[in-house]
């Protein structure tokens, strides 16, 4: 499984970006798919995720109401729509996938087997 993340960039506070995570090598419609981020000097943190099979979505409190995770199974791609961006959203963002992760572990980056490369999001004030 290969994951290709894209869509990062520089945006002013209050702006929007959409990240994409395209998968190849296997159909991931039954996998859990997640987004994480890591700011300089901080630990990688959970942003949003779909449970296995896409049954439910989950968000970090810090992004709830501003970010939306969605998926297009036909394209094997997951998206992260980020609105009302804040300077504290500045980080490198990663997408991840896992076939067997349980619901209670969705927010734990250590439980994911597959990772895309980083995409930088910078929000200026």
């Amino acid at each position: 499984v290969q994951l290709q993340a894209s869509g990062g960039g520089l945006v002013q506070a209050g702006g929007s970006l959409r990240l994409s995570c395209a998968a190849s090598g296997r159909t991931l419609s039954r996998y859990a798919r997640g987004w994480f981020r890591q700011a300089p000097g901080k630990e990688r943190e959970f942003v949003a995720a779909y449970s296995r099979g896409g049954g439910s979505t989950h968000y970090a409190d810090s992004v709830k109401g501003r970010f939306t995770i969605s998926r297009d199974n036909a394209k094997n791609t997951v998206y992260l729509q980020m609105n009302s961006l804040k300077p504290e959203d500045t980080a490198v963002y990663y997408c991840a996938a896992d076939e067997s992760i349980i619901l209670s572990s969705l927010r734990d980056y250590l439980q994911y087997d597959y990772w895309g490369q980083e995409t930088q999001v910078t929000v200026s004030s």
Side-chain angles (χ1 to χ4, degrees), residues 85-101:
L85 283 161
K86 304 175 181 179
E88 51 262 45
D89 294 317
T90 295
V92 291
Y93 283 69
Y94 300 89
C95 61
D98 196 272
E99 186 178 20
S100 60
I101 194 169

Side-chain angles (χ1 to χ4, degrees), residues 16-31:
S16 299
L17 284 173
R18 189 177 80 155
L19 306 183
S20 299
C21 179
S24 60
R26 194 176 299 176
T27 298
L28 301 192
S29 58
R30 302 180 67 86
Y31 282 51

Side-chain angles (χ1 to χ4, degrees), residues 7-57:
L10 173 63
V11 65
Q12 288 188 331
S16 299
L17 284 173
R18 189 177 80 155
L19 306 183
S20 299
C21 179
S24 60
R26 194 176 299 176
T27 298
L28 301 192
S29 58
R30 302 180 67 86
Y31 282 51
R33 304 287 296 273
W35 288 97
F36 291 79
R37 66 187 183 186
Q38 188 166 15
K42 295 189 175 181
E43 191 172 351
R44 191 169 300 191
E45 65 173 3
F46 171 77
V47 177
Y50 269 106
S51 61
R52 282 183 297 157
S56 60
T57 56

Side-chain angles (χ1 to χ4, degrees), residues 18-22 33 35 48 50 59 68-73 75-82:
R18 189 177 80 155
L19 306 183
S20 299
C21 179
R33 304 287 296 273
W35 288 97
Y50 269 106
Y59 296 93
T68 303
I69 189 171
S70 62
R71 62 196 297 166
D72 184 337
N73 287 336
K75 295 183 178 180
N76 222 10
T77 298
V78 168
Y79 304 96
L80 184 69
Q81 178 67 44
M82 304 185 295

